[in-house]
Amino acid sequence: MHGRWTVLASIMPVVGLACVTLWGGAMMAAETGKAVKGTERGFITRPQEDAVVGALVAQHGAGVEARARRGVHQAALYWRPADGTAEDFAAYCGQHFVADPRLLETTYRRFEANLEQVSGHAVALNRALREPMECDTGDPLPVDLRFAELNVFDHFNDDAFAAKVAFDALLNFPLARLPELLEQGAGFTRRQWAEARLGAAFQMRVPGEVRQGETRAFTRADDYIANYNIFMHNLLAADGSRPFPEGMKLISHWGLRDHIKALYSDPLGNLDKQRLVLRVMEHIIHQTIPAAVVNNPRVDWAPVTNVVQPGADAKVGGAISGEREPDTRYARLLDVFHAEQAVDRFSPVFPTFIDRRFQVDRELPEAEVEQLLKDVLTAPVAREVAALIRARLGRPLEAFDIWYDGFKPRSALDVDTLDAKVRARYPDLAAVQAGIPDILKRMGFAPDTAAFLASHIVVDPARGAGHAMGAGMRSDSAHLRTRVPAGGMDYQGYNIAMHELGHCVEQVFTLNRVDSVLLNGVPNTAFTEAFAFVFQSRDTDLLGVGADDEAARARARALNAVDTFWMTFEISGVGLLDMAVWRWLYVHPKATPAELKAFVVSQAAAIWDQYYAPVLGVKGSPLLAIYSHMISSGLYLPDYPVGHLIQFQYEEQFHGRSLAGEMERMCVQGRLTPQQWMQGAVGGPVSAQPLIRAAQEGLKSLNPR
Ligand SMILES: [Zn+2]
C-alpha cells in the first residue's frame, strides 16, 4: 500500500515538496520560441526577448545580462495571450526583474518560506480531508469519498501563473533542465541545487481542468482494480471439486499472487491449487474471463474449461452468461493514456507522459532504467537461484514459480511465536507510537536523534495494510498508518509497519534536517522504498528472534539476499513491459482496447521468452502482464526493482559502519539527481551489482561446497 499515496501525489499538482508538478526536477526543451502546433505555449518571439534584455541591461548595467537573458527567455516560454501583450510582457520584466543582489537574496528566502507553506498546507489539508477514508476511525460517510476526491490545490498552478508569482520565479531564478543537472550538477553549490528546485516548481503550466481529467481517469482505473475480486470458493477444479475455502475473496493481482506464495507452505500438496490460480490470471490477462465471475460470489466457474454455472447458494436458477469481459482492463488503461495526451498539449517542455515520468519524476533517463533492469535479468546468478528452487521443490519449475516464496527468513520461524511476541509488545496503537524511540535505538540511532525522529512521527490506525505520508512543512509531522486489530498487532502488521517506519524516518530527516526545504526529499520513489526495505528486513532481529546467534543472523542475511534477488528478477520484467506498453501507446494513439491487449500479451510473452524461459524452462507465459499497477498507476512499476537494487547499495554501505549515521548523512543531501545523490551516498552510481553480489554470496553460504 505504500506506493499508492506516492502515485496519487505524483498526479496531483501539489502534494508535498517531493511532488512532481510543483517541485519536479527539470525544465524546457524548445529553445527556438517557435510555436508547436496543437500545444499551448508562449508567443513572445526571440527579437522581442532580445529587446527586453537590452532594456534591462540599459537599466541595470552589463553585469545583469546573463541572468536577464536566461530569466526573460524562461518567462517568455510560459507567457500566453491571457497574461498580456508583448508590450505588457516587456513592462512586466522591466518592473519585476530583481537586479539588486540583496533584494534578490531576500526574494529567494521569501520563495523558500512561502513554497514550504503552500506545500505543507496542501499536504496537511489533503491528509485531513482523506482521513475518514484512509484511517480506521469509524464508518466513512458517502460524503467522505467526495471530500477525498476534492483537491483544493488542483488550481494552484493556474493561480500562481495568473497572480504572476510563477513568472517572478521564472524571471529571476534559473530553471535547470535535466541534461544541465546531469552535466553540471556535480559542480553545483548547495544554493545552486536549491535554486534549481525553486525554478522547477513552475516548470509545468497545466490547467486545473486538465489535471482534474487526469485525476478522474486514474480514479476510474483505480476503482476498476479495487473492485476486481475473485471469489475463490466458487472456483471448480477439473474434477468438479472446490479446492478453496469458503469466504476467500482475492483481489487481482495482489491477492491472487500472494495466495500462490502462501501455497508454497506445502509445495507438492498445493501444486494443483497454484495451477488453478495461474489459469485465473491468464484468463484475466487474455480477458477470456467470464464477466459474470468478477466480484460475484453467486456464480461458479471452472477456469480449466471456462464454463460458468449458478453458484450453490444462488437463489435464481437458469443459465448464466459466460460472455467474456469485453477488454475493460485495457479500455481503462487507454483512458489513462488519453488523459495524459490532454496534459501533453499543455506540456511542450515534456511532451509525453514518458518524459514526465522519467525526466521530471525520476530524473533517471529511460535508457538508464532499462539497462538496470536488463542487468538484473541477464545476471547468471538467476539460473543458480532457479536450480536451488527446483531442488527445494523437487519438480521442474512452472511459470508461477517466479513467485517462489520459500527464501523468506520468517519461513524458518514459527509464525505463532512471532505473532505472540509482537502482540505482547504492541497490544494497541498507543504502544506502537510509544515504541518508536526504542526501535530506533535498537537500530543504532543516538537517543536524542531517536527522540527527535519519534517526535515527528504520528501513528494512525490504517484502513488498509498501512502506508507512510511525509509532511510538507517542518511544523507538521510524518504519519505512519498501521493496523492493530483488537487483541494486539500480529507479525504481518508489524512487518509492514517496519517498512512504513523506514519511509517515515527518511521523510523526517529529508524535511527537517536538510539545509534548505527546497531540497526536501530523496531523488525519487525508489530511494525511499529502499530505506523502507532496509527497515523491513530487520524486523525479526529487532524483535529479538534469532538475534542472539551469529550463524542464524548470517543465514537470515543470505536468505534475504537470495529472496530479494528473485523478487527483483521477477519485477524487472514487469517494469520492462510497463515501459514497452507506454512507448507502443504513443506510436499507436488510436489503438482499440483489443489492439492494446494483443500488444500487451505478445510483448509479455516476448520478454518472458527472452529472459525467463531460459531460467525457468517454461515458454511463452503472459504472466508479467497481470500486475494491476500497469492499468492504474501509470509507469510506476520500474520503481520497484530499482528500489531493491538501491536497498543493497545501502546495505553494502552500512556494512561495518553505523546504519543510523550513514542513513542520516545520505538523507540530508536532499533531493539531488539520483546519480549525484548516489555518488554522495555510496561513492558510485545506481547499480545492480551489489544485489547480484549479495545473491551470489548468499547462495554460497546456503549451498556450502
Ligand atoms: Zn513503501
Side-chain angles (χ1 to χ4, degrees):
M1 289 304 287
H2 49 264
R4 188 184 167 78
W5 175 258
T6 321
V7 169
L8 280 174
S10 71
I11 58 172
M12 291 198 289
V14 185
V15 184
L17 286 168
C19 161
V20 185
T21 343
L22 184 65
W23 294 90
M27 110 113 217
M28 79 195 195
E31 293 297 332
T32 59
K34 199 168 57 184
V36 178
K37 197 161 181 273
T39 60
E40 298 288 329
R41 51 162 303 120
F43 65 95
I44 306 289
T45 63
R46 261 303 157 104
Q48 285 168 329
E49 282 181 30
D50 291 342
V52 174
V53 174
L56 289 173
V57 169
Q59 194 180 342
H60 302 292
V64 303
E65 183 170 350
R67 266 194 64 229
R69 187 161 297 285
R70 182 166 190 161
V72 167
H73 180 60
Q74 289 174 172
L77 273 176
Y78 292 83
W79 190 275
R80 293 177 190 159
D83 301 311
T85 62
E87 291 71 37
D88 294 333
F89 177 73
Y92 166 80
C93 292
Q95 261 180 15
H96 295 274
F97 179 77
V98 180
D100 173 39
R102 271 186 313 179
L103 183 56
L104 187 63
E105 174 65 20
T106 334
T107 306
Y108 166 81
R109 294 287 164 205
R110 189 77 80 243
F111 265 104
E112 184 183 43
N114 287 358
L115 290 179
E116 180 188 5
Q117 291 301 308
V118 172
S119 285
H121 286 97
V123 170
L125 181 56
N126 278 313
R127 185 180 64 225
L129 296 186
R130 302 176 69 89
E131 193 177 285
M133 301 299 294
E134 292 178 345
C135 291
D136 191 9
T137 49
D139 290 336
L141 308 173
V143 76
D144 286 328
L145 176 61
R146 286 190 287 278
F147 270 117
E149 286 172 351
L150 175 68
N151 185 353
V152 179
F153 285 79
D154 261 347
H155 289 88
F156 173 77
N157 196 249
D158 275 354
D159 297 344
F161 276 94
K164 305 278 195 291
V165 166
F167 286 111
D168 285 4
L170 292 165
L171 183 60
N172 288 293
F173 300 100
L175 255 175
R177 54 183 164 155
L178 187 57
E180 182 180 345
L181 293 176
L182 296 180
E183 278 161 29
Q184 297 171 26
F188 273 15
T189 60
R190 295 293 294 171
R191 174 62 173 263
Q192 280 175 303
W193 274 110
E195 287 194 3
R197 296 316 186 194
L198 193 173
F202 302 103
Q203 65 185 334
M204 297 281 285
R205 188 179 186 185
V206 178
E209 302 82 68
V210 175
R211 284 290 179 207
Q212 283 169 341
E214 187 186 32
T215 304
R216 257 198 312 278
F218 274 102
T219 305
R220 210 167 155 216
D222 237 11
D223 187 58
Y224 167 76
I225 293 295
N227 292 297
Y228 207 104
N229 296 295
I230 302 296
F231 285 82
M232 300 301 283
H233 187 60
N234 296 59
L235 295 189
L236 305 177
D239 63 1
S241 65
R242 293 178 191 274
F244 298 101
E246 205 152 349
M248 180 183 268
K249 174 176 127 179
L250 299 180
I251 188 166
S252 177
H253 69 283
W254 299 273
L256 295 173
R257 178 199 61 190
D258 292 348
H259 195 58
I260 286 182
K261 290 186 175 192
L263 290 169
Y264 284 107
S265 60
D266 178 6
L268 292 179
N270 288 333
L271 183 56
D272 284 339
K273 291 188 202 174
Q274 289 177 315
R275 287 177 175 154
L276 202 58
V277 179
L278 175 70
R279 293 301 280 263
V280 172
M281 289 180 160
E282 288 170 348
H283 281 300
I284 293 171
I285 293 165
H286 288 288
Q287 292 282 279
T288 44
I289 183 171
V293 309
V294 178
N295 219 20
N296 186 357
R298 288 176 300 278
V299 178
D300 286 345
W301 175 37
V304 177
T305 54
N306 208 14
V307 168
V308 293
Q309 63 187 57
D313 61 341
K315 301 278 183 288
V316 283
I320 287 190
S321 164
E323 209 150 316
R324 70 177 188 89
E325 188 181 14
D327 299 336
T328 314
R329 179 177 177 82
Y330 301 97
R332 289 291 87 83
L333 173 53
L334 279 176
D335 290 345
V336 168
F337 170 63
H338 294 143
E340 289 304 333
Q341 284 186 299
V343 177
D344 294 348
R345 252 192 97 228
F346 294 92
S347 180
V349 178
F350 305 104
T352 71
F353 183 59
I354 302 171
D355 296 330
R356 295 190 286 278
R357 268 291 193 239
F358 286 93
Q359 293 183 39
V360 181
D361 299 1
R362 293 194 175 97
E363 294 192 333
L364 207 49
E366 196 184 355
E368 284 182 35
V369 173
E370 189 166 337
Q371 189 54 51
L372 287 167
L373 304 188
K374 288 181 174 170
D375 288 347
V376 175
L377 289 167
T378 55
V381 72
R383 287 180 196 233
E384 294 176 51
V385 178
L388 178 58
I389 297 173
R390 205 174 291 126
R392 284 176 151 219
L393 291 175
R395 61 163 170 79
L397 298 185
E398 308 214 6
F400 54 79
D401 290 322
I402 53 172
W403 292 313
Y404 176 73
D405 193 56
F407 296 130
K408 291 268 181 278
R410 66 167 175 273
S411 57
L413 299 166
D414 177 46
V415 175
D416 293 337
T417 313
L418 287 176
D419 280 345
K421 257 194 142 61
V422 173
R423 202 168 291 131
R425 192 172 291 180
Y426 305 112
D428 52 31
L429 205 67
V432 178
Q433 178 81 61
I436 291 177
D438 181 57
I439 295 174
L440 295 175
K441 278 184 275 184
R442 282 165 187 258
M443 291 189 73
F445 289 94
D448 59 332
T449 304
F452 162 80
L453 290 166
S455 71
H456 286 86
I457 298 171
V458 173
V459 178
D460 297 327
R463 270 195 200 288
H467 65 202
M469 277 180 70
M473 56 189 168
R474 288 175 174 171
S475 56
D476 196 8
S477 291
H479 283 241
L480 191 168
R481 268 82 188 261
T482 184
R483 270 178 98 95
V484 182
M489 193 176 224
D490 58 17
Y491 170 71
Q492 187 61 31
Y494 164 74
N495 173 268
I496 295 170
M498 285 299 294
H499 176 102
E500 308 306 343
L501 181 62
H503 283 306
C504 287
V505 168
E506 171 271 299
Q507 288 158 350
V508 176
F509 275 143
T510 62
L511 175 62
N512 297 71
R513 285 200 168 170
V514 75
D515 55 355
S516 166
V517 285
L518 289 166
L519 285 167
N520 170 26
V522 284
N524 65 42
T525 312
F527 289 74
T528 184
E529 286 308 330
F531 282 123
F533 294 140
V534 164
F535 274 59
Q536 192 172 11
S537 70
R538 282 161 176 71
D539 66 341
T540 49
D541 260 15
L542 292 166
L543 270 184
V545 181
D548 44 347
D549 176 355
E550 179 48 40
R553 267 209 301 271
R555 185 175 162 79
R557 267 200 305 275
L559 284 168
N560 181 46
V562 175
D563 184 53
T564 305
F565 174 82
W566 194 245
M567 283 194 297
T568 310
F569 177 70
E570 175 256 328
I571 198 80
S572 290
V574 177
L576 277 190
L577 176 63
D578 203 11
M579 291 162 72
V581 167
W582 276 88
R583 284 198 288 261
W584 185 88
L585 283 168
Y586 272 102
V587 179
H588 302 87
K590 295 199 163 71
T592 62
E595 288 163 348
L596 173 57
K597 176 178 76 177
F599 174 75
V600 169
V601 169
S602 71
Q603 185 64 22
I607 293 172
W608 182 277
D609 283 346
Q610 186 170 357
Y611 300 109
Y612 297 85
V615 171
L616 285 105
V618 182
K619 284 198 180 125
S621 174
L623 207 48
L624 301 169
I626 193 61
Y627 272 74
S628 298
H629 304 83
M630 195 176 73
I631 307 304
S632 65
S633 299
L635 264 179
Y636 179 79
L637 284 161
D639 282 341
Y640 281 114
V642 176
H644 285 302
L645 301 185
I646 294 173
Q647 173 195 356
F648 276 78
Q649 294 189 270
Y650 293 172
E651 293 288 7
E652 276 198 356
Q653 183 68 22
F654 296 154
H655 193 73
R657 300 183 178 90
S658 150
L659 179 154
E662 288 298 292
M663 180 174 176
E664 180 169 357
R665 183 184 67 75
M666 292 176 181
C667 284
V668 300
Q669 296 184 96
R671 190 164 180 252
L672 311 179
T673 49
Q675 301 296 24
Q676 185 69 33
W677 191 97
M678 201 51 123
Q679 191 67 40
V682 308
V686 179
S687 161
Q689 297 316 315
L691 172 60
I692 294 169
R693 269 198 294 273
Q696 280 163 339
E697 281 158 27
L699 271 183
K700 249 184 260 161
S701 76
L702 295 175
N703 286 326
R705 304 216 165 140

